[in-house]
């Protein structure tokens, strides 16, 4: 469902990565590991069209994405991608429930359907009772769960997640990984997850390590 061929990225004159090729099937869970600064976050942003690449081609569900303009990328993100950013990007002026329901609002879904699905996501992420709070009234781990609920609420084809269990205690982290498992089993969501956490990588179907000259199999250097 996702294919990357020979992606390369530079920041100005400084190369980040090159020759990054990858195939991800529907429902597959791929963990992406690698040293700090090697470009894992940059690669996720590139797959979501949030950062241009310097070379290479990308396909999602057979559609080549290279030709998309900004509006096309925005529509693709809205309809088919979920993204958990390292810095959460939860909107401070919206309540927890409004944050989680936002992708459905943007897709024009009816208010009662949104309410029901948001309640389901609050429960699934262990945030019941916190829907009316503002993000400033949450802990770091709770905020992270809001970001995950928002990324999955519209049942995306592909979830891109940057360290989604980074701030969580082991029990909550396991619960979030269960949620990702459920999304891929029930909805066929493919998961591309950047992580330093052994426990998260251990749950993946495959682990790939990013090097400056491409991806290689394996958990170790
Ligand atoms: N806007 C920018 N301009 C120049 N260099 C940048 C910019 N953004 C990131 N970089 C550099 O690109 C490289 C890749 O950064 P990236 O955040 O993708 O790494 P990462 O593998 O996700 O790291 P970490 O595991 O620490 O989160 C780093 O060396 C970083 O310093």
């Amino acid at each position: 469902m996702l294919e990357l061929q020979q992606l390369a990225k530079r920041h100005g004159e400084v190369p980040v990565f090159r020759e990054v090729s990858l195939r991800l099937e529907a429902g597959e869970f791929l963990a992406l590991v690698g040293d700090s600064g090697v470009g894992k976050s940059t690669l996720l942003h590139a797959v979501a069209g949030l950062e241009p690449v310097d070379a290479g081609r990308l396909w999602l569900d057979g559609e080549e994405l290279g030709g998309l303009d900004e509006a096309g990328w925005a529509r693709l993100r809205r309809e088919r991608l979920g993204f958990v950013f390292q810095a959460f990007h939860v909107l401070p002026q919206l309540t927890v429930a409004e944050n989680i329901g936002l992708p459905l609002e943007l897709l024009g879904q009816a208010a009662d359907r949104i309410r029901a699905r948001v309640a389901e996501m609050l429960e699934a992420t262990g945030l019941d009772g916190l829907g009316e709070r503002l993000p400033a009234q949450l802990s770091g781990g709770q905020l992270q769960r809001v970001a995950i609920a928002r990324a999955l609420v519209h049942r995306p084809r592909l979830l891109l997640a940057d360290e989604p269990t980074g701030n969580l205690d082991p029990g909550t982290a396991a619960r979030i990984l269960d949620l990702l498992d459920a999304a891929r089993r029930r909805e066929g969501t493919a998961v591309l997850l950047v992580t330093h956490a052994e426990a998260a990588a251990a749950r993946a179907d495959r682990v790939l390590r990013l090097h400056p000259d491409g991806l290689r199999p394996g958990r170790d250097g």
Side-chain angles (χ1 to χ4, degrees):
M1 60 93 53
L2 173 72
E3 183 168 354
L4 313 180
Q5 238 179 48
Q6 304 270 316
L7 290 195
K9 174 71 186 172
R10 280 180 271 108
H11 280 304
E13 289 304 300
V14 184
V16 181
F17 53 73
R18 61 193 171 86
E19 291 184 38
V20 169
S21 299
L22 164 72
R23 279 184 75 109
L24 190 63
E25 305 301 331
E28 193 181 2
F29 178 178
L30 177 70
L32 182 63
V33 300
D35 294 341
S36 180
V38 77
K40 304 178 298 296
S41 302
T42 305
L43 180 57
L44 281 199
H45 282 92
V47 171
L50 297 168
E51 179 127 35
V53 289
D54 298 297
R57 300 168 77 185
L58 296 87
W59 291 261
L60 188 70
D61 289 325
E63 177 191 356
E64 180 160 10
L65 306 183
L68 289 180
D69 57 12
E70 260 318 303
W73 273 112
R75 190 172 58 246
L76 178 129
R77 284 193 291 269
R78 204 160 57 230
E79 294 175 351
R80 288 191 273 163
L81 296 189
F83 206 115
V84 183
F85 293 91
Q86 227 172 6
F88 311 150
H89 292 219
V90 168
L91 299 175
Q93 72 279 26
L94 299 186
T95 66
V96 165
E98 287 166 345
N99 264 288
I100 295 172
L102 191 59
L104 304 180
E105 287 275 346
L106 294 174
L107 291 170
Q109 291 200 3
D112 53 344
R113 249 180 94 183
I114 296 179
R115 245 189 326 272
R117 178 69 177 152
V118 167
E120 213 173 282
M121 294 312 295
L122 284 169
E123 206 265 312
T125 47
L127 294 170
D128 330 57
L130 301 183
E132 297 314 309
R133 287 215 194 158
L134 289 171
Q137 301 165 319
L138 298 187
S139 72
Q142 289 168 337
L143 275 179
Q144 193 150 16
R145 283 179 276 155
V146 174
I148 290 161
R150 186 185 52 189
L152 287 173
V153 73
H154 58 309
R155 302 182 168 92
R157 292 280 297 145
L158 173 64
L159 176 74
L160 301 166
D162 207 344
E163 283 285 8
T165 58
N167 292 320
L168 303 179
D169 63 84
T172 309
R175 192 158 171 192
I176 291 304
L177 293 169
D178 289 343
L179 199 67
L180 301 188
D181 259 338
R184 69 204 193 99
R185 266 199 326 273
R186 283 194 213 133
E187 334 278 357
T189 298
V191 178
L192 179 52
L193 179 133
V194 167
T195 188
H196 290 282
E198 258 308 307
R203 297 273 288 261
D205 297 314
R206 270 193 299 157
V207 180
L208 292 178
R209 177 168 286 268
L210 181 60
H211 297 268
D213 60 351
L215 289 167
R216 281 181 236 143
R219 293 170 159 82
D220 320 304

